[in-house]
Amino acid sequence: MEINVSIGDIKFVVTENLYYHLANEMVIKKVNHSGLICQIELIGENELHWINEWRNVPSCINMVISQTFMTDHFIPQTDGFSNFQENFISLLAMFENKSDESGEENESPFGNFHPIILIFVTRKGYKLRFMIRKNSEQKIIEAYLAALDIIKTIVRSKSSPTTVAINAVFKQPDKNVYLIFTKSGWKVIDILEHESSKISETYLNKNDFRVKKPWIVLQKDNLHDYKIMDNNWVLSFDDLETFMLQPNDVSIYSNICQQNLQMAHEFYNKHILPRHKHYHGSFPLIEQQREYFDYFQLIITSVIFAYTAIEALVNICIPQGFEHEEEKDGVRTIYSKEAIERKFPLREKLKKILTKILETPNPTSEKWWSKFVELEDIRNEIIHTKQAKSEDRYSKLLSKNIFELIKVHSEIIGYYGNYINRNNPRWLEEFPYNFGYNGIVPGLSDSKDYKKWILDVVRHRRLMALKDKNDRIL
């Protein structure tokens, strides 16, 4: 639809005679004598949307708001605006959903009918679409008034938070920008992020959560046209080959940890917790001691793999070609990715390496740091066993605190997921599923070379995988 308010301040665009009649009788005829000019146009449904538009949102009335409406009427609050406001709010009230008592807004732009869409074209030509859902009368009016306030800030300021968000999101050739009304106000939808997250979630639902995320390529002029490329590999062993999806190391290690932790927790709740209440069990029978030994196996496995999951994530975050430089006693040493992985303790990687790569704060000031240090200490005691400390070590494994130390690995993974998402979102492809960041930053292609480009990317990725494999062998 070509959005244009050629003469006037407000233009209603409708696709049905009923809404044409309502808008004309309830608003236009009552305001055009008050200094504010309204237009109305009845068009076909197929004229309303661009052929490859991201979302053909059904609506009753599309209200196009002009720059002059904002500068000449809304901002100075003229009598013409007051008259329009009173009549338009009466029209809005007709779309009230009386069955909705909650008044809550779902942040998804799908699934609900949008009776009113407000449209405003910015000076850069971006077509802002404020999608107002069927809701309580109070919520509909609240959304409408909040939209006008947002437009006012855009008209007045080039650097408002909404303007910054609008400039940042991906746009198709139609230059549409979609906004939805949430509990916290109007929110700009990044359609590229939304679409790729939906594809990634669908992929997750069809596969095991421990799988490595796929690579997604979208046709940038039509986001509904996309290709998914699995991360496959061939495992060769004992004269056999197995072609399968590649797992995510962090997911595998974390899941081993969680499974063993759950079984260990069952033993703890059955045998240890009752002792705090009844003060018995200091001399377990042989059969009970066997269960203690089983518990030790479970909790030791859980400790080791909680720590290993963190270390796997950290090593993933260090990019190929990265170098870290240190100087000591006048000697300058440069560490490659491989040298960092081998020579730096995990604690030092978090403090020195990831702070630089992901631009994180000093992790030692985070609430989880002290638990991580305890987890690392007990893991090291297990791996580097010293007989003199065995009794103390096994006592720690029976402490109720051990469960919190192990669970902190999930918190740490989520913490770094936040900084990956914020500062280097393309690395989300390597980030595991089910830690709060299931999205993927997709590749984009022009329609002209879409299929050829995908084939070239597949070839390139295979060559890089082969090179990486050969480098590891060497």
Side-chain angles (χ1 to χ4, degrees), residues 52-250:
N52 285 332
E53 187 173 329
W54 173 66
R55 194 55 56 190
N56 296 335
V57 182
S59 58
C60 302
I61 295 174
N62 298 272
M63 188 177 90
V64 185
I65 300 170
S66 71
Q67 293 273 349
T68 58
F69 172 79
M70 298 303 299
T71 56
D72 297 350
H73 295 281
F74 177 71
I75 293 174
Q77 296 286 294
T78 64
D79 291 340
F81 168 73
S82 299
N83 187 22
F84 170 81
Q85 188 86 320
E86 180 182 348
N87 289 286
F88 184 64
I89 285 177
S90 298
L91 178 62
L92 285 178
M94 296 193 65
F95 297 99
E96 175 185 15
N97 183 3
K98 294 183 178 179
S99 63
D100 183 7
E101 300 294 334
S102 66
E104 298 293 337
E105 276 285 1
N106 183 343
E107 296 201 5
S108 169
F110 307 111
N112 286 328
F113 176 62
H114 297 76
I116 305 289
I117 296 179
L118 306 182
I119 302 173
F120 178 76
V121 183
T122 69
R123 289 187 178 89
K124 290 186 175 182
Y126 301 146
K127 302 165 189 174
L128 311 187
R129 292 178 174 265
F130 296 84
M131 301 185 292
I132 300 178
R133 285 197 183 89
K134 196 168 186 179
N135 211 319
S136 67
E137 179 181 347
Q138 178 185 352
K139 276 288 181 183
I140 290 175
I141 294 172
E142 181 187 343
Y144 161 68
L145 295 176
L148 291 183
D149 285 335
I150 289 285
I151 296 171
K152 180 176 72 173
T153 62
I154 292 170
V155 170
R156 282 182 163 178
S157 171
K158 295 181 180 179
S159 57
S160 70
T162 306
T163 303
V164 172
I166 289 167
N167 290 335
V169 296
F170 174 82
K171 302 166 195 73
Q172 292 185 286
D174 60 6
K175 292 189 174 182
N176 281 335
V177 177
Y178 301 84
L179 298 93
I180 54 172
F181 193 65
T182 70
K183 296 175 185 177
S184 56
W186 283 101
K187 175 183 176 182
V188 179
I189 303 172
D190 188 324
I191 62 174
L192 183 61
E193 178 184 315
H194 188 281
E195 206 64 26
S196 60
S197 294
K198 185 178 72 172
I199 295 168
S200 180
E201 288 288 350
T202 301
Y203 185 85
L204 171 59
N205 291 335
K206 292 180 179 179
N207 291 284
D208 189 279
F209 71 94
R210 293 165 292 185
V211 71
K212 186 176 181 180
K213 290 177 183 175
W215 206 64
I216 300 170
V217 182
L218 293 96
Q219 208 271 62
K220 69 178 183 181
D221 292 342
N222 181 7
L223 297 185
H224 303 299
D225 186 4
Y226 62 87
K227 301 294 181 185
I228 297 176
M229 287 173 277
D230 296 318
N231 279 293
N232 295 306
W233 61 4
V234 179
L235 302 179
S236 302
F237 57 96
D238 301 336
D239 297 325
L240 299 175
E241 289 187 342
T242 302
F243 179 84
M244 62 178 292
L245 293 171
Q246 185 175 346
N248 182 289
D249 289 344
V250 182

